[in-house]
Amino acid sequence: MERLNIDIRQSWMHQPVKYELFPLSPVSRHRLGMVQRKTLVLDLDETLIHSHHDAMPRNTVKPGTPHDFTVKVTIDRHPVRFFVHKRPHVDYFLDIVSQWYDLVVFTASMEIYGAAVADKLDNGRNILKRRYYRQHCTPDFGSYTKDLSAICGDLNRAVQPHIVDVETSKLGPRPVTSVSSLVVHYN
Protein backbone atom coordinates (compact mmCIF):
# COMPACT_ATOMS: atom_id res chain seq x y z
CA MET A 1 0.00 0.00 0.00
CA GLU A 2 2.86 2.40 0.88
CA ARG A 3 4.44 1.85 -2.55
CA LEU A 4 1.12 2.66 -4.26
CA ASN A 5 0.84 5.94 -2.32
CA ILE A 6 4.39 6.91 -3.33
CA ASP A 7 3.65 6.12 -7.00
CA ILE A 8 0.44 8.16 -6.93
CA ARG A 9 2.20 11.13 -5.30
CA GLN A 10 5.08 11.02 -7.78
CA SER A 11 2.78 10.88 -10.81
CA TRP A 12 0.58 13.63 -9.37
CA MET A 13 3.58 15.95 -8.83
CA HIS A 14 4.28 16.13 -12.57
CA GLN A 15 0.70 16.72 -13.74
CA PRO A 16 -0.03 20.11 -15.32
CA VAL A 17 -2.21 22.47 -13.33
CA LYS A 18 -5.25 23.74 -15.18
CA TYR A 19 -6.34 27.34 -14.63
CA GLU A 20 -9.56 28.92 -15.65
CA LEU A 21 -8.59 32.33 -16.96
CA PHE A 22 -11.19 35.03 -16.66
CA PRO A 23 -10.88 38.01 -18.98
CA LEU A 24 -10.60 41.47 -17.46
CA SER A 25 -13.91 43.15 -16.92
CA PRO A 26 -14.73 46.08 -19.24
CA VAL A 27 -14.26 48.46 -16.31
CA SER A 28 -10.82 47.02 -15.46
CA ARG A 29 -9.76 47.05 -19.11
CA HIS A 30 -10.87 50.69 -19.40
CA ARG A 31 -8.98 51.69 -16.22
CA LEU A 32 -5.83 49.92 -17.40
CA GLY A 33 -6.11 51.78 -20.71
CA MET A 34 -6.13 55.12 -18.87
CA VAL A 35 -2.84 54.68 -17.01
CA GLN A 36 0.63 54.42 -18.42
CA ARG A 37 1.79 50.81 -18.31
CA LYS A 38 4.60 50.08 -15.93
CA THR A 39 7.57 47.91 -16.76
CA LEU A 40 8.24 44.61 -15.03
CA VAL A 41 11.87 43.50 -15.38
CA LEU A 42 12.29 39.76 -15.00
CA ASP A 43 15.50 37.86 -14.43
CA LEU A 44 15.76 34.57 -16.27
CA ASP A 45 17.98 32.04 -14.46
CA GLU A 46 16.87 31.02 -10.98
CA THR A 47 13.84 33.35 -11.22
CA LEU A 48 11.73 32.13 -14.16
CA ILE A 49 13.67 28.93 -14.84
CA HIS A 50 16.41 26.63 -13.60
CA SER A 51 18.78 25.08 -16.10
CA HIS A 52 21.89 22.97 -16.33
CA HIS A 53 23.98 21.74 -19.22
CA ASP A 54 25.38 18.36 -20.20
CA ALA A 55 28.57 18.59 -18.21
CA MET A 56 27.25 20.27 -15.08
CA PRO A 57 24.10 19.03 -13.37
CA ARG A 58 22.95 21.31 -10.55
CA ASN A 59 21.11 20.78 -7.31
CA THR A 60 18.50 23.50 -7.96
CA VAL A 61 15.94 20.93 -9.10
CA LYS A 62 14.98 17.72 -7.33
CA PRO A 63 16.77 14.78 -8.96
CA GLY A 64 14.56 12.84 -11.34
CA THR A 65 12.36 15.82 -12.18
CA PRO A 66 11.84 15.86 -15.96
CA HIS A 67 12.98 19.01 -17.73
CA ASP A 68 10.43 21.14 -19.59
CA PHE A 69 12.53 21.76 -22.69
CA THR A 70 16.03 21.55 -24.09
CA VAL A 71 17.99 24.39 -25.65
CA LYS A 72 20.87 23.54 -27.99
CA VAL A 73 23.43 26.30 -28.57
CA THR A 74 27.01 26.61 -29.74
CA ILE A 75 29.40 28.35 -27.36
CA ASP A 76 33.02 28.86 -28.44
CA ARG A 77 32.44 26.41 -31.31
CA HIS A 78 31.24 23.71 -28.89
CA PRO A 79 27.66 22.42 -28.96
CA VAL A 80 26.01 22.62 -25.54
CA ARG A 81 22.62 21.26 -24.48
CA PHE A 82 20.81 23.03 -21.65
CA PHE A 83 18.06 21.20 -19.81
CA VAL A 84 15.55 23.81 -18.69
CA HIS A 85 13.06 23.51 -15.84
CA LYS A 86 10.37 26.18 -15.71
CA ARG A 87 9.39 27.52 -12.31
CA PRO A 88 6.03 26.16 -11.20
CA HIS A 89 3.17 28.13 -12.78
CA VAL A 90 5.52 30.42 -14.75
CA ASP A 91 3.35 30.31 -17.89
CA TYR A 92 0.29 31.35 -15.92
CA PHE A 93 2.30 34.09 -14.19
CA LEU A 94 3.52 35.49 -17.54
CA ASP A 95 0.02 35.37 -19.04
CA ILE A 96 -1.47 37.29 -16.14
CA VAL A 97 1.22 39.94 -15.52
CA SER A 98 1.57 40.64 -19.26
CA GLN A 99 -1.95 42.08 -19.09
CA TRP A 100 -0.76 44.70 -16.59
CA TYR A 101 2.92 45.30 -17.40
CA ASP A 102 5.32 45.61 -20.30
CA LEU A 103 7.58 42.64 -19.64
CA VAL A 104 11.35 42.89 -20.01
CA VAL A 105 13.78 40.01 -19.63
CA PHE A 106 17.16 41.07 -18.24
CA THR A 107 19.69 38.31 -17.73
CA ALA A 108 23.43 38.21 -17.21
CA SER A 109 23.48 35.13 -19.45
CA MET A 110 24.95 35.06 -22.93
CA GLU A 111 22.50 36.19 -25.61
CA ILE A 112 22.68 32.94 -27.58
CA TYR A 113 21.37 31.05 -24.54
CA GLY A 114 19.10 33.75 -23.07
CA ALA A 115 17.33 34.43 -26.37
CA ALA A 116 16.66 30.73 -26.95
CA VAL A 117 15.20 30.30 -23.45
CA ALA A 118 13.15 33.52 -23.70
CA ASP A 119 11.79 32.36 -27.08
CA LYS A 120 10.62 29.08 -25.51
CA LEU A 121 9.05 30.90 -22.54
CA ASP A 122 7.32 33.40 -24.83
CA ASN A 123 5.98 30.53 -26.92
CA GLY A 124 4.65 32.78 -29.69
CA ARG A 125 2.63 34.98 -27.30
CA ASN A 126 4.82 38.01 -28.12
CA ILE A 127 4.94 39.12 -24.47
CA LEU A 128 8.72 38.99 -23.96
CA LYS A 129 9.70 41.41 -26.73
CA ARG A 130 12.28 43.49 -24.87
CA ARG A 131 15.34 41.52 -23.83
CA TYR A 132 18.71 42.44 -22.36
CA TYR A 133 21.67 40.12 -22.02
CA ARG A 134 25.25 39.95 -20.76
CA GLN A 135 26.43 42.61 -23.21
CA HIS A 136 24.07 45.07 -21.48
CA CYS A 137 25.65 44.33 -18.10
CA THR A 138 28.71 45.86 -16.48
CA PRO A 139 31.62 43.50 -15.70
CA ASP A 140 32.15 43.55 -11.96
CA PHE A 141 35.04 41.55 -10.43
CA GLY A 142 34.39 38.34 -12.35
CA SER A 143 30.62 38.75 -12.29
CA TYR A 144 28.12 40.90 -14.15
CA THR A 145 25.95 43.70 -12.78
CA LYS A 146 22.74 44.53 -14.58
CA ASP A 147 22.84 48.13 -15.72
CA LEU A 148 19.23 49.24 -15.53
CA SER A 149 19.99 52.38 -17.51
CA ALA A 150 20.16 50.06 -20.55
CA ILE A 151 16.39 49.66 -20.23
CA CYS A 152 15.76 53.39 -20.02
CA GLY A 153 18.43 56.06 -19.86
CA ASP A 154 16.95 58.18 -17.10
CA LEU A 155 15.35 56.02 -14.45
CA ASN A 156 14.07 59.10 -12.62
CA ARG A 157 11.98 60.20 -15.61
CA ALA A 158 10.95 56.78 -16.84
CA VAL A 159 7.95 54.78 -15.83
CA GLN A 160 8.97 53.12 -12.61
CA PRO A 161 10.27 49.65 -13.42
CA HIS A 162 9.54 46.79 -11.04
CA ILE A 163 12.20 44.12 -10.89
CA VAL A 164 11.86 40.44 -10.08
CA ASP A 165 15.27 38.91 -9.45
CA VAL A 166 16.71 36.44 -6.97
CA GLU A 167 19.72 38.61 -6.22
CA THR A 168 19.44 42.38 -5.85
CA SER A 169 23.21 42.77 -5.47
CA LYS A 170 23.52 42.18 -9.23
CA LEU A 171 21.20 45.07 -10.09
CA GLY A 172 23.84 47.77 -9.83
CA PRO A 173 23.52 51.31 -8.53
CA ARG A 174 20.12 52.89 -9.01
CA PRO A 175 18.02 55.61 -7.44
CA VAL A 176 16.15 53.93 -4.59
CA THR A 177 12.99 55.94 -5.23
CA SER A 178 12.84 54.91 -8.88
CA VAL A 179 12.98 51.15 -8.65
CA SER A 180 11.17 48.68 -6.50
CA SER A 181 12.61 45.19 -6.28
CA LEU A 182 11.00 41.93 -5.35
CA VAL A 183 13.53 39.36 -4.31
CA VAL A 184 12.21 35.87 -4.83
CA HIS A 185 13.29 33.20 -2.35
CA TYR A 186 12.40 29.56 -2.85
CA ASN A 187 13.00 26.67 -0.49
Side-chain angles (χ1 to χ4, degrees):
M1 185 64 175
E2 178 66 27
R3 180 68 185 154
L4 178 62
N5 286 338
I6 291 172
D7 289 343
I8 290 171
R9 271 184 274 156
Q10 287 178 344
S11 67
W12 177 80
M13 289 176 12
H14 300 294
Q15 296 299 314
V17 175
K18 304 262 190 239
Y19 294 99
E20 192 170 335
L21 295 177
F22 296 101
L24 292 174
S25 71
V27 172
S28 294
R29 189 166 302 285
H30 175 72
R31 286 182 180 164
L32 279 175
M34 292 172 44
V35 297
Q36 188 174 6
R37 285 174 65 98
K38 294 187 183 267
T39 301
L40 181 64
V41 182
L42 300 166
D43 179 42
L44 200 57
D45 290 302
E46 311 312 324
T47 302
L48 297 177
I49 57 109
H50 290 296
S51 71
H52 65 275
H53 57 81
D54 298 315
M56 194 172 108
R58 293 176 47 189
N59 295 333
T60 54
V61 177
K62 186 176 180 180
T65 304
H67 59 279
D68 292 296
F69 57 88
T70 305
V71 171
K72 297 175 185 176
V73 298
T74 302
I75 300 174
D76 295 330
R77 295 189 304 236
H78 298 286
V80 182
R81 279 186 315 176
F82 286 92
F83 301 97
V84 181
H85 299 264
K86 295 181 194 177
R87 285 283 194 177
H89 316 286
V90 73
D91 291 317
Y92 178 71
F93 168 77
L94 292 172
D95 282 338
I96 296 301
V97 298
S98 67
Q99 296 177 57
W100 308 323
Y101 294 95
D102 290 326
L103 302 182
V104 175
V105 171
F106 200 151
T107 179
S109 298
M110 296 172 65
E111 184 173 357
I112 192 166
Y113 160 81
V117 171
D119 286 345
K120 290 280 195 177
L121 285 175
D122 188 85
N123 196 22
R125 295 177 288 190
N126 211 21
I127 58 176
L128 300 175
K129 294 180 271 192
R130 292 180 56 201
R131 302 172 184 182
Y132 298 87
Y133 306 101
R134 182 173 292 175
Q135 67 265 28
H136 302 104
C137 296
T138 303
D140 187 25
F141 300 106
S143 185
Y144 295 92
T145 302
K146 295 172 185 168
D147 182 2
L148 298 178
S149 67
I151 295 171
C152 48
D154 184 356
L155 290 175
N156 286 320
R157 293 183 60 218
V159 175
Q160 179 178 359
H162 298 276
I163 300 157
V164 180
D165 200 331
V166 293
E167 195 172 345
T168 56
S169 66
K170 299 298 179 201
L171 295 176
R174 64 208 183 274
V176 175
T177 58
S178 295
V179 178
S180 63
S181 300
L182 169 66
V183 180
V184 181
H185 296 283
Y186 291 94
N187 294 333

